[in-house]
Amino acid sequence: MTSNNPAVFLLMINGQIEAADFPEYDDLYCKYSFVYGHDWAPTSGLEEGISQITSKGRGSQSLVWNFPLDITFKSTNPFGWPQIVVSVYGPDTFGNDIVRGYGAVHIPFTPGKHTRTIPMFVPESTSRLQKLTSWLMGRRPEFTDPKVVAQGEGREVTRVRSQGCVTLQFNIVTKDMKKLGYDTTSIEHSPERTPQQL
Amino acid sequence: MSSPSNVREKMRKKRRELQESLGRVRDDKQALVPSDWDLSRDSEHTAVEELAGGEEDPGETLRRSVMAKRMKKKKKLLKERTVESPPDEEVTAVPERDRPDDDEDDDGQPVRSPRDLPPRPVMRPGSSQSEASMRQRMTEKLRAAKSKAASLLEQESIIEPASRLQSLRDRETLTRFDRDTDPDLRADEDSSFTARLKFRDVARRATKDIRTEAGLPTAEEAYNFFTFNFDPEPQQQRPRKKRRPGRRETEEGGEGESGEEDGEDEEEGEEERECEGEEESEARDEDAPLVRDEEEDLFIIDQSAQDFLEVRRAEYMDYSRRLQRERETLFVPSMRTVPASSKLAENVRPRYLEEEGLYVGERPHVCLTNQNILENRILKQGEGRKWFGDDGRILALPDPIKESSSRPPLFHLEDELDPALQTAYRKALKSKHVNLYISGMGDPQSDYQLDVDVSGLIFSHHPLFSREHVLAARLAQLYDQHLTRQHKSITRLLTDKLNGLRNTIHNMLELHRGEALSQVTQQRMAEYKQEVRHTRQLRDVEQEKDRALLKSIIRVWKELKALRDFQRFTNTPFKLFVRREKVEREQDEQEYENDIVAEVEELQAETEEDYQKKMSEYRRQHEQWKSWKRKQKVLKKKQKKKRQQEEEEEEDEESEEELGEEPEKPDPPEKPDMGSLEEQVREKAARIRRKPGEPVLIPELTVSGPVTPNEQCPRAEFARREDVSKRALFIKVLYNDKEVSRTDSRALNMDFRVHFGQIFNLKIVNWPESIKLQVFEGVGSSFTLLVEVCVPVPESSVLTGSAASEEMEFSSNQRVTFNHEGVGSGVPFSFEADGTSTQTLLTSGKLSCCVSWAVGEDDVPLAPPSSQPAGGMYSGIGQMDAIACIGASSLNDRKKLGKWAAESRLDPNDPNNTSIMQLLSVVSGGDVAVPEYFRLEQLQEEFNFVSDEELQRSRRFRLLRLRSQEVAEFRHFKCVPSMEREISQNVFQDYEKRLKDGEIIDTKEHIDSHRALVAKYLQKVRESVINRSLIAKHHFILSDVVSEDEVPSIGVLGWNLFKLAEPKRPLKPHRKERKKVTAQNLSDGDIRLLVNIIRGYDIPVRRHYASKPPVSAKSGRSFTEPFTGPVSSQGSEWPFGQPLIRPFVEVSFQRSVLQTSTAEGPNPCWNEEIVLPFSAPNGDYSSTSLQSVRDEVFINVFDEVLCDVVEDERERGNTIHTRIERHWLGSIKIPFSTIYLQSRIDGTFKVSTPPVLLGYSKERSLGSEGGYDTIRSLSEGTFLSLFITIEPQLVPGDTIREKFDSQEVERLLIASEVFEKEASRHFPDRPCLSTVIDINGKTVFATRFIRPLNPPQELLDAFPNSPQETAQFLTLLAGDEEEHAVLLCNYFLSMGKRAWLIIGSAIPEGPTAYVLTYEQNRYLIWNPSTGQHYGQYDIFCPLQAIGCLINSDNVWFNIQPYAAPVRMSFDVSKPKLWKPFFSRSFPDPGLSSVQPEALVYRHTDKAAAVELQDRIEKVLREKIMDWRPRRPTRWNRYCISTLRQFLPKLELSGGREVAEEHRLELQSLLGEYRISGFPLHLPFSEIRPIIEAVHSTGVHKAEAPNVEFALAVHVHPYPGNMLSVWVYIASLLSAH
């Protein structure tokens, strides 16, 4: 691993799905999964996860999960940089478990601590009648695959409604990116190098 | 913040001050106070604590007084409120403010003072003032308290001095106690209630000060901090500011240094003294009631507040007064028009340059009101008039728009170009079609129409002109010229301009009379004069031209008249009248004289000027000359002197020192002769102008003259006229060099004018490139092309109706001569009798036409968008126009043009020149140079991170690109290495090979080139289908992305309601739908294939191998024998106890092989589940990928044979040594895709067994299942009951949704859609098909495929009228079930049978096509892919449901209650059972078949077949040896040759009948061997499936050491390149 000519670079992500803000809903849980390109492979950690159900605190509006994320990717190509797809579910008035929001965000590519707030949205019913029946039957429209929110293809056919937002926190560590010629740190942020490193 | 010590210091100082002030005022209390303060001065801590402690008593009393009204909870806050509420003025804020800002307040004075924020300095005195007063009160309180319970308190404070907090706590507890304890105390304490309160505050503050020093806020403080309402400060400041501005100043002055504070505080103190006086008196008066006290207190504070406050009304100024005042200072410019008189100097009339013949540029539009406002404003200023021009308008630039961009250019074009911006040459790609057609031509709305209006033709010369005509034409031409000149009246314009210029000069001189002309004015004068001269010259030229024209008109007319007289007839009706207009002689003369005088004057001035110039020049030269002379003289003198001196020494040295060449002596210029000037002018005027008093001549040409009739003409003229009348003309219209239309032919008239008046509407598809009109002329029917006229393609703004007709001049240089009066063309002729002064004229004329774009019905121009790239000519014209219109057509170069424009001094304001001026402004428009190249994406290269070449070269980029293009080999390539070097060279090998293979036909794998071509074709079709599906994969519809429940219909709802009433645990439960899994979240190992082998029927049984042929062999039932009769039992042949057969089933799928346990008997029952893993190719579990899985599930039936291999007979007693052999009996192949699409396969399948199975025969035990036998006997063969499914259930991928184009009628397509939709609604499980997609991807109606087609003649010859053979034959063909079915159906039809195509579902194929025939009163169902046929009532028929029947006439959909063939009727004539597609309401439109008339079968090359046979055999042998790597493979040649002979017989018999003979034959020959083997019959398409089939039999697995093999291959060629391959494979085991 300490070779001078690395073949892959590593992206280590740990962080957490901190909280969500869904003004109308309560008792939500969320699922996350990572979407990445062909040139990426997870080396350790969980690619997918599902959180506990969380309720709003008294007087507070946000739903706090503090659900940890920890994954390391290796890759040869920044193309297809990982994205995290978060989908939030919760019960409706009849107790049916329905989706409350989908959202995705790219993993930040600069090392350090980042906080991201993802706006969430759900697909809309195709018609009023559909909306009514889906409300009645507790079967709202869902994406066939939550990962579609991480891509642009096929989205033109959908109509969505925004729902709330989820806040994530990432701590990013990268390795060997610079050696492979990808410099993601801006000049003013790059840490001072000690002579030994040079 | 200042340091704590600082704070302390300050505090101390304050206290001192306070004391001082107190001490001065109050004598009586002084004794007490200082003592107290001395204490505090000793140690701050103790003092303050003491205060805190001492506070307890007054605090107590206070509380007691308040508690009655206040709630306990808000005690602290309210305590303060009580302080605040009485004064109820601005000062209320003071104690509040003190609290939270305490620390600031105390240390704030020196620190804050430099700040000049408004609230602070104002607030500070207030606070300090209140502080001071509080302190005062505090001391007072202290004293009162002390006098009361001094000793007690003192002690208490001494007892607990330690912690401040504790003291606070004590106080708190006290608070609680006190509340209700002694209310009587209140009476005597309340007198000084507020004062005490303040004392408390101060005391608290003191403690707090110390606390804040320690950084600890008290609980109370914290509470206050959070619960307080901070009143806004400004309320407090404002009044004070007003009241005491002076004081504030002093304060501000004093704030700077703490030294001055004393004085300031003293001042404050003085103020306080007043208050205190009252307060004191109040305080002394202890008996006064509380309320009054409060009032007093309030009053006191009020009074003090009044020092700062003054309540006033808001200032309001009367509106009128305000207006008045504003009027004094403000000026509102009026919007009314300024009278011209005020804008110009007195008594000056505005002059308008346009009236003087000068072009004035158009000003930019400015709103009139704005203009008026500006004018008024300017006039208001001094010297306003200088802003106005002579015309009374504001001076303005002719065009305020700056031509150059104000933004500095990013780079300097003069410099070396940035390499990134260097133009790179890319060869233009010319698309074949794109440019030709106007875009959007596909849709019918956008049709473009060009109207060509050919109105007429006028010849200015024609060969048939007579001489008179020539003259007449000339006359007409001259007259035309005259008219146009008259119309333009250039002369007058120039004259006016001249006058205008003269006036200008005159005015200027007038203006500056007596004054020295400024430099600018002089310059302008000079310019004007220059202009005048120029204009005059121009005018003279024009006048001369006018005059000459007039003269020539008259001359020609005279000639004409003479000619008419001479030839004594008239050919033309032209007549010229000259009208004389009288003029007033005197006025005319006057003007004339004036003009001449003016001109003379000017000339004189000019000559004078000239002369002056020359004179000055002369003088200068003369001066030069003179000076030279002088020098010369001096020099000469010197020389003389020298010479005199040197004469004696150097006589000979006579070097003539010259001063250079001697300049010529300039001649003085001649004095111009002023007298002659006038003469010259007069002479010129006489030449070019009308004489004064001479009447104005106005020529008028009429065509009213009589023409001599034909009879009166001489012969030659008559002949000419005859000729003329015979002539006819027409015009062809050519569009893009194609003739599109032509006019009617019109006869040529005597006046040589032809009127066509025809309009051609050209609907155009192609881009217009050229429009030509060809004029044809001829006699009778022979026409010759006279001339061709090119008409420019109109711009898209030129529309019919508004376009003016143009006259196109043309001429032809044809030589025409006549022997009559006609002058001919290109031939010299003369008007004179003697033939002198000849002239030659060419045919010429004008064609008047008009080309424009048509206007549609709704006023939409039918012109193509002009942005479209047009043909070269079209765009060329557009570009050229601007320049061409002013007659400088050759000036293409803009720079040259600019030069030309500068030279020719174009009037920039002339509207004629606007276009060129615009062009010039671009050229000369300052710093912005027009780049000489054009770039579409200027920044593209900047963003290219790597050059194109490198992109091409790099393997990595190539890999990435191929992957993103989803090329099959790279679609799922994971982790493309990050470095180029890590990519191996051979990554692309396969891909490149495949690309190369596209061209090269690989003949190795295939028998001949034809077959190879077919294979390639198939490959291409497959690829195109894959590509199509790839494209479709990227085309999403809503249901792909969003899963949403359907809106339930009433039926569903009702069903759901009904289901509620269902029993919870029904007796006959329904199979529950398994949960379907979307393919995305699957990975390897998640999917398993479940194969449940239930049982088998009719498995062949072993035959006993006897060395002698068994007698009863004949009676053994060959399983291939159809319609068998009763069978005798064979059981007797076997040793008792040994089963007839021990079959087991082996399932192999994707290289994993599993087998069931071994059962016994010919009808075994296994009922075992076999679980096989499934992995998708490349780990891609998307539905498209799964669909393309081409693996097959092989289900092989084997017989397990135990061979006794005990060598030593003696060991038999105690050792069992057997070898297990497996003999292949048959197999079933089920493609995975079928399972995937069907999701489960459940049924009984026929095992495909070889025609001959050596050592086995079909056996059946009688009696055991007799009842069943009768039904089963209808079918033949071995069967297996299977249940196959995939776990978990996968969602089958959708078929590609794509609307294929079709050539069918729209109505038919709609009908078919409706038909299919209806069918699927009523019977969702019955497939219905009315349209199919052919190989070109077009939708074709299904019946078109059905047509009798001949099977190959050879086949018919061999098997006349044998449907079985035909069916068998078909299996050789490549193609899918539907194709086979169609072809089979067509063959049957051609054989005269009644046949239909069945669209239904079968196992295992799923939806498929079978063929139904009707013969011998029964229906037969044919499986086209196997060639098997079944009776209608055969329960083993794989066809499970019939959806529809198709023949060449109609399509019938099955609407019977049952779909299984056993239970339905095939009588399509009954509409209750079969719903026809074409019915009376929608009759068959008579669709023609897409099939050819007859199929032509090519004769297959026999030699090639033999060659293939050899090759297959060789390949197979090698393969078998490969498969047996550990053992030697021996080939029994004898057996092979026997088998080889036998195979052709099999082919001929179709695998029937001969089997038994063959077996016998074999056995007789190979008696000593135990043979197990079988022939395989396969179609040939490729060699690979053959190998697979051989491998799957497992013959090569024979492990016996002495095993021998036999392999024979036979290829039988059929016409049409169909090859039937037989492979006979056997293993031989020596019997001994």
Side-chain angles (χ1 to χ4, degrees), chain A residues 90-159:
Chain A
D92 68 355
T93 28
F94 304 112
N96 295 307
D97 198 35
I98 56 165
V99 68
R100 289 306 189 191
Y102 295 100
V105 72
H106 274 102
I107 302 300
F109 52 81
T110 49
K113 181 174 170 177
H114 304 267
T115 306
R116 293 277 182 274
T117 302
I118 319 177
M120 306 294 273
F121 53 88
V122 286
E124 272 275 53
S125 296
T126 42
S127 65
R128 287 269 167 85
L129 182 63
Q130 284 275 30
K131 202 167 188 172
L132 178 76
T133 51
S134 67
W135 181 79
L136 280 173
M137 316 208 2
R139 309 255 298 151
R140 307 286 171 92
E142 291 182 15
F143 284 124
T144 47
D145 182 6
K147 287 176 182 174
V148 296
V149 301
Q151 69 197 28
E153 202 174 44
R155 292 276 285 279
E156 73 274 11
V157 299
T158 59
R159 291 187 308 150

Side-chain angles (χ1 to χ4, degrees), chain B residues 2 6 10 106-114 255-256 258 261:
Chain B
S2 54
N6 198 2
K10 213 129 299 148
D106 289 12
D107 65 354
Q109 286 191 359
V111 179
R112 224 185 278 138
S113 49
E255 269 161 19
S258 53
E261 250 180 4

Side-chain angles (χ1 to χ4, degrees), chain B residues 1177-1240:
Chain B
N1178 304 317
D1180 176 16
Y1181 286 85
S1182 64
S1183 58
T1184 42
S1185 157
L1186 287 178
Q1187 261 173 330
S1188 64
V1189 172
R1190 282 160 76 192
D1191 293 319
E1192 288 185 329
V1193 181
F1194 289 95
I1195 299 162
N1196 291 309
V1197 185
F1198 288 96
D1199 176 24
E1200 190 183 271
V1201 182
L1202 295 174
C1203 293
D1204 191 7
V1205 286
V1206 176
E1207 300 280 313
D1208 197 342
E1209 283 297 318
R1210 288 164 299 177
E1211 289 175 11
R1212 195 167 293 283
N1214 44 20
T1215 315
I1216 299 174
H1217 194 180
T1218 51
R1219 189 180 61 242
I1220 296 171
E1221 281 180 10
R1222 39 162 51 180
H1223 293 168
W1224 184 76
L1225 298 177
S1227 74
I1228 299 173
K1229 278 188 291 186
I1230 296 173
F1232 175 78
S1233 57
T1234 309
I1235 304 169
Y1236 174 63
L1237 293 173
Q1238 300 281 305
S1239 85
R1240 69 190 172 96

Side-chain angles (χ1 to χ4, degrees), chain B residues 196-208:
Chain B
R196 231 175 277 148
L197 213 109
K198 272 164 200 172
F199 154 70
R200 245 200 65 172
D201 277 344
V202 175
R204 212 175 290 150
R205 201 187 319 134
T207 39
K208 230 171 282 158

Side-chain angles (χ1 to χ4, degrees), chain B residues 700-712:
Chain B
E700 269 176 35
L701 192 68
T702 55
V703 285
S704 56
V707 176
T708 318
N710 289 2
E711 304 85 58
Q712 298 171 13

Side-chain angles (χ1 to χ4, degrees), chain B residues 1149-1176:
Chain B
F1149 177 65
Q1150 286 189 342
R1151 299 283 158 222
S1152 53
V1153 182
L1154 289 171
Q1155 65 180 58
T1156 63
S1157 58
T1158 312
E1160 288 183 357
N1163 293 309
C1165 179
W1166 293 282
N1167 206 3
E1168 273 181 47
E1169 191 176 82
I1170 291 169
V1171 181
L1172 294 146
F1174 168 74
S1175 61

